[in-house]
Amino acid sequence: MTALGKLLRTTAFKIIAVYLIVFALFAMAVIGYLARHTQALVVSQITETIDAEIKNLQEVHADGGIGRLIDVIAARAQQPGSNLYLVTSFNGAVLASNVTDIDNVTLSRQGWSEISYRRTDEAADSLHDSRALVRVAFIGGFRVLVGRDIEERERLREILATPARWSLAVIVLLGIAGGVFVTRRVMKRIDNMTATSEQIMRGDFGGRLAVTGSGDEFDRLANSLNAMLGRIENLMGGLKHVSDNIAHDLKTPLTRLRNRAEEALRKNQTEKELRRALESTIEESDNLIRTFDALLMISRAEAGEVRKTMIDFDAAEIARDVAELYEPVAEEGGLKLGIDAPDALPVRGSRELVSQALANLIDNAIKHGGTTAGSKVTVAARKSGDRIQFTIGDRGPGIPEADRLRVLERFVRLEESRSRPGAGLGLSLALAVAKLHGGDLRLEDNSPGLKVTLAIPAQPVQTKGT
Amino acid sequence: MRLLIVEDDREAADYLKKALREAGHMAEVANDGDTGLAIALDESFDVLVVDRMLPKRDGLSLVSDLRSRGNETPILILSALGQVDDRVTGLRAGGDDYLAKPYAFSELLARVEVLARRRAPNSADTVYRVGDLELDRLSHQVTRGGEEIVLQPREFRLLEYLMRHAGQVVTRTMLLENVWDYHFDPQTNVIDVHVSRLRSKIDKGFAKPLLQTVRGAGYMIRDGAR
Ligand SMILES: Nc1ncnc2c1ncn2[C@@H]1O[C@H](COP(=O)(O)OP(=O)(O)O)[C@@H](O)[C@H]1O
Ligand SMILES: [Mg+2]
């Protein structure tokens, strides 16, 4: 496609072309209207003068008869720049005049007409083509013609037409030039955007669209596209991080799995031993599946896919339910599980994911924080400002401040917890769930122990009756 | 029991067929959605096991097509997608239960057996009986040998579910899904602890234990004498 073809096809250019046509038509209409009116004015001036003159001539005829009339006309006809005069007898003999070549039809009836003429003092072969507006009147049996050259009118037309043509040309030229200029600018920015997008599509997710700072619609577009790109880059980064983690952290249990199977094959084993080896292989692969599921769940929460299945539910009820689910386990471990969630707390979100996040936190409190017998785990759900806060506290060893951010990452488990079951994904999911709901997850010192706060925005109170 | 397995992975289908036969059930196999639909319409089965992703016609469309033609055979949907929203779409299409791949065969077997013996909703009994254990669903009273047993609301629902499926294996996941309405992995043996609590209330002090653990599968309540 040629550069010109490309230019002509742009929306900006098409819009400008339409504007241009409309504007040119409008300008022509205005000029045409003006021209018409000035011409009408000139013509009416001419007719008024001629009417006055004829009236005057009628008076002259009434006062002094035909002889006086002819005298007056002859005198007037001699004056330079005079009107046009012609007096004939009724049978056509010219009595006085300063024009010739008037056709008989014109003279045969009274009234107005526009004719071509020649002055008597002009050469017969003169190329000058003069036109005049004339009135014929019958005065006392004579035909009297009074007229006036309308060159003035024609000149006026010229005077108006020339600038009109010029200004039209200027409008069109300026319009086209402006159109090309504006379109080229717009096109340049769009071309830039296209180039950047192509670069991004080739895999450079760091690329961003240029923002000029003028705050125009292109800037707004670029800004929101950039925000979108940022989000994609984050997700991609997360994905890459996940795949790196998977590579590292799933290889360990896979190796274990493989070793176990190999060992079962290698040694001369009894059937019972073989069974045991197979059973533990299945157990190990179940753990792997669970880890995979947890990873999937986290990336789903991070991608925000679950948002479409969000529902309204009572956060306090969820807290009570999940705590109740874990209460027997806590009791079995010699722990007391206290629940404090008295008031209904309406929220909108994923009931399933929030429950799972709470389950993970309570599980942690029992598993990692319940190591000293007789200690206590507390689960609370409260409203604080415009947020719902779930707080899970324990009286265990807690997490050193330096590690509190690190443990939120996938697969991170502190040294002293390695012997306990788990994959190190529980807190990562809780964090992803908090973020999915527009909230956050905080780990604090419970002195002693750990206090985890999961906060999500509360549902704004609905007005009743809707 | 007669089943139809609609699954395009032949190895998985054959494995299922064989394992079901060992458990005493007959299974037919269809390897794509169109064949599956044709067979399901043509013959009668106790349960259909339908993979969600199938060639020619996907599992969900097979299920909704069957339902729109008035076929009410219980359907278990299998899927590699195990997340909440996938479950919801699966059940909305007309499936009766949903199981994520990979699954333990014992899990599938338990679910299929429960589906096959699912009661018609209007003929629900108000009193469940297993041996001398009685559960009244209206008055929420539980008695054993005529003596009242006091249960927490959740324990009552747990027992109710177990008794509704008396004589059938009920897995931990089934309990978590049906009694608690959760579909996630609780990471710990929470269900076991709940069941053993319940067991201590209904079986302790009685000669004949009713609530049994089925190794590698789950739990079952039944009158052991039979
Ligand atoms: N309540 C707690 N008390 C002490 N340490 C904790 C607590 N909760 C979490 N942790 C630490 O954070 C790590 C990550 O937790 P999590 O992501 O839930 O993984 P997992 O529980 O599978 O180990 C744990 O391994 C443990 O070291
Ligand atoms: Mg954990």
Side-chain angles (χ1 to χ4, degrees):
Chain A
M1 188 163 42
T2 63
L4 184 66
K6 199 172 149 195
L7 189 78
L8 293 180
R9 271 193 210 197
T10 60
T11 314
F13 197 86
K14 285 179 191 153
I15 291 173
I16 286 167
V18 170
Y19 260 118
L20 196 64
I21 290 170
V22 169
F23 189 73
L25 285 178
F26 180 70
M28 274 161 63
V30 168
I31 292 171
Y33 179 80
L34 273 177
R36 218 170 244 257
H37 266 258
T38 26
Q39 277 190 20
L41 198 72
V42 169
V43 168
S44 84
Q45 256 175 11
I46 292 175
T47 52
E48 268 171 34
T49 325
I50 292 174
D51 281 343
E53 181 118 31
I54 287 198
K55 198 162 169 246
N56 173 259
L57 289 177
Q58 278 166 338
E59 282 164 15
V60 168
H61 177 260
D63 285 353
I66 187 65
R68 176 98 183 99
L69 180 66
I70 289 169
D71 282 350
V72 168
I73 287 177
R76 288 190 187 171
Q78 295 310 308
Q79 277 163 22
S82 68
N83 286 345
L84 308 175
Y85 299 98
L86 179 71
V87 186
T88 65
S89 64
F90 213 80
N91 51 32
V94 176
L95 301 175
S97 88
N98 58 1
V99 285
T100 60
D101 288 358
I102 309 292
D103 61 295
N104 284 329
V105 183
T106 311
L107 287 172
S108 63
R109 51 184 171 76
Q110 294 203 88
W112 292 96
S113 45
E114 197 182 313
I115 55 163
S116 54
Y117 76 96
R118 195 155 57 82
R119 277 185 187 264
T120 37
D121 48 10
E122 262 178 313
D125 59 348
S126 159
L127 286 175
H128 176 79
D129 176 36
S130 307
R131 291 189 69 75
L133 192 60
V134 296
R135 179 176 165 189
V136 175
F138 299 163
I139 303 175
F142 295 87
R143 295 161 198 255
V144 177
L145 176 147
V146 178
R148 198 166 171 86
D149 190 281
I150 51 172
E151 200 188 345
E152 214 174 322
R153 196 185 80 181
E154 298 304 316
R155 214 168 40 238
L156 192 71
R157 191 206 295 274
E158 271 309 301
I159 286 171
L160 285 170
T162 313
R165 270 195 290 276
W166 272 110
S167 47
L168 206 66
V170 169
I171 286 172
V172 169
L173 274 178
L174 273 181
I176 290 175
V180 169
F181 177 71
V182 170
T183 314
R184 284 253 305 260
R185 259 177 64 105
V186 170
M187 264 202 334
K188 211 173 136 204
R189 294 190 64 179
I190 290 180
D191 281 349
N192 279 344
M193 285 186 163
T194 312
T196 318
S197 330
E198 272 162 8
Q199 177 195 341
I200 291 166
M201 276 193 287
R202 279 195 299 271
D204 170 21
F205 284 91
R208 288 294 179 273
L209 302 174
V211 176
T212 58
S214 60
D216 62 0
E217 51 272 65
F218 281 102
D219 268 10
R220 287 206 302 274
L221 180 65
N223 272 329
S224 56
L225 285 178
N226 282 344
M228 184 181 85
L229 287 171
R231 179 105 180 86
I232 292 176
E233 197 187 7
N234 267 345
L235 284 175
M236 294 289 290
L239 218 59
K240 187 176 162 343
H241 194 64
V242 175
S243 26
D244 290 354
N245 278 331
I246 288 175
H248 277 109
D249 294 80
L250 295 186
K251 265 187 184 171
T252 323
L254 275 172
T255 314
R256 210 156 49 213
L257 192 73
R258 195 176 186 288
N259 288 349
R260 220 167 268 181
E262 221 168 16
E263 191 185 278
L265 272 182
R266 201 175 54 232
K267 285 197 239 148
N268 255 345
Q269 308 227 19
T270 62
E271 201 195 308
K272 203 175 159 200
E273 279 169 330
L274 278 175
R275 273 198 86 84
R276 271 205 53 74
L278 274 180
E279 272 166 11
S280 72
T281 309
I282 289 178
E283 203 176 300
E284 192 83 56
S285 41
D286 280 350
N287 279 337
L288 263 172
I289 291 165
R290 228 175 274 149
T291 306
F292 263 115
D293 281 346
L295 274 174
L296 270 175
M297 194 79 126
I298 295 171
S299 15
R300 280 226 175 173
E302 280 181 348
E305 239 178 272
V306 239
R307 245 176 227 131
K308 51 183 182 286
T309 54
M310 287 193 167
I311 52 163
D312 297 323
F313 61 88
D314 178 4
E317 190 186 312
I318 289 289
R320 285 194 300 268
D321 270 8
V322 180
E324 183 242 25
L325 179 66
Y326 281 85
E327 196 267 325
V329 180
E331 197 188 284
E332 207 174 52
L335 295 170
K336 254 192 82 64
L337 187 84
I339 306 170
D340 178 21
D343 311 319
L345 304 170
V347 288
R348 183 171 185 78
S350 164
R351 173 188 173 273
E352 186 76 9
L353 281 179
V354 173
S355 303
Q356 167 140 37
L358 291 180
N360 289 353
L361 299 178
I362 297 174
D363 179 58
N364 279 352
I366 295 171
K367 193 167 65 179
H368 305 297
T371 36
T372 42
S375 82
K376 195 175 168 176
V377 170
T378 50
V379 178
R382 295 220 162 277
K383 191 162 178 191
S384 155
D386 54 357
R387 302 185 128 201
I388 306 274
Q389 290 195 336
F390 299 100
T391 326
I392 292 94
D394 64 55
R395 300 255 153 220
I399 298 179
E401 191 156 3
D403 290 327
R404 282 188 201 147
L405 267 183
R406 203 163 65 85
V407 290
L408 297 177
E409 284 172 29
R410 292 176 177 86
F411 294 113
V412 174
R413 313 187 71 204
L414 299 181
E415 198 57 57
E416 51 276 19
S417 334
R418 294 273 162 84
S419 57
R420 301 185 201 111
L425 295 173
L427 288 177
S428 313
L429 180 76
L431 177 66
V433 170
K435 281 192 181 159
L436 171 73
H437 289 82
D440 57 35
L441 186 75
R442 255 195 345 266
L443 307 189
E444 286 159 318
D445 200 344
N446 203 24
S447 47
L450 184 73
K451 186 170 101 178
V452 186
T453 309
L454 173 76
I456 59 176
Q459 175 96 308
V461 180
Q462 305 266 311
T463 41
K464 287 221 172 103
T466 45
Chain B
M1 166 163 66
R2 217 169 102 77
L3 297 102
L4 174 64
I5 302 163
V6 193
E7 160 72 274
D8 59 319
D9 178 350
R10 282 165 202 271
E11 199 185 319
D14 288 346
Y15 163 71
L16 254 187
K17 185 176 173 174
K18 218 175 106 205
L20 282 166
R21 183 168 335 116
E22 277 159 20
H25 303 301
M26 289 271 299
E28 298 257 321
V29 173
N31 290 116
D32 65 70
D34 281 344
T35 322
L37 182 65
I39 300 181
L41 287 171
D42 204 39
E43 300 170 34
S44 116
F45 295 94
D46 297 301
V47 178
L48 308 182
V49 179
V50 179
D51 186 31
R52 194 174 159 159
M53 280 189 233
L54 290 169
K56 292 192 186 163
R57 171 193 291 276
D58 79 291
L60 291 191
S61 111
L62 191 163
V63 171
S64 51
D65 212 343
L66 270 181
R67 292 299 185 240
S68 71
R69 291 171 193 226
N71 186 314
E72 292 296 322
T73 315
I75 298 178
L76 171 66
I77 299 178
L78 293 183
S79 170
L81 314 163
Q83 310 284 338
V84 197
D85 32 342
D86 304 322
R87 269 187 64 84
V88 173
T89 50
L91 298 185
R92 224 173 257 160
D96 298 278
D97 199 359
Y98 194 97
L99 185 59
K101 286 178 174 181
Y103 50 83
F105 176 71
S106 55
E107 185 75 44
L108 179 127
L109 183 65
R111 286 173 187 254
V112 163
E113 286 181 339
V114 161
L115 280 182
R117 270 205 268 158
R118 155 181 89 154
R119 287 157 197 251
N122 51 354
S123 75
D125 303 333
T126 55
V127 178
Y128 291 157
R129 280 190 194 86
V130 174
D132 53 354
L133 179 66
E134 272 191 23
L135 177 141
D136 189 323
R137 298 175 63 207
L138 293 182
S139 66
H140 280 227
Q141 259 202 349
V142 178
T143 57
R144 178 144 192 205
E147 252 178 72
E148 187 172 349
I149 299 172
V150 180
L151 295 181
Q152 301 291 319
R154 188 74 66 180
E155 290 168 341
F156 180 85
R157 282 172 57 190
L158 181 56
L159 182 62
E160 186 184 15
Y161 186 79
L162 284 163
M163 288 179 82
R164 185 185 313 147
H165 302 292
Q168 294 183 307
V169 177
V170 167
T171 66
R172 293 169 179 82
T173 337
M174 284 162 79
L175 289 175
L176 192 65
E177 286 179 5
N178 292 291
V179 178
W180 278 270
D181 193 21
Y182 289 143
H183 303 276
F184 57 78
D185 163 30
Q187 302 196 49
T188 338
N189 57 342
V190 277
I191 300 300
D192 291 338
V193 187
H194 278 276
V195 171
S196 70
R197 257 198 188 185
L198 176 66
R199 176 182 281 140
S200 73
K201 287 197 177 174
I202 62 167
D203 276 345
K204 208 168 177 182
F206 291 91
K208 225 170 30 177
L210 299 175
L211 182 48
Q212 297 158 11
T213 305
V214 183
R215 253 203 87 213
Y219 298 98
M220 173 160 58
I221 201 160
R222 73 166 169 194
D223 188 358
R226 269 194 295 166

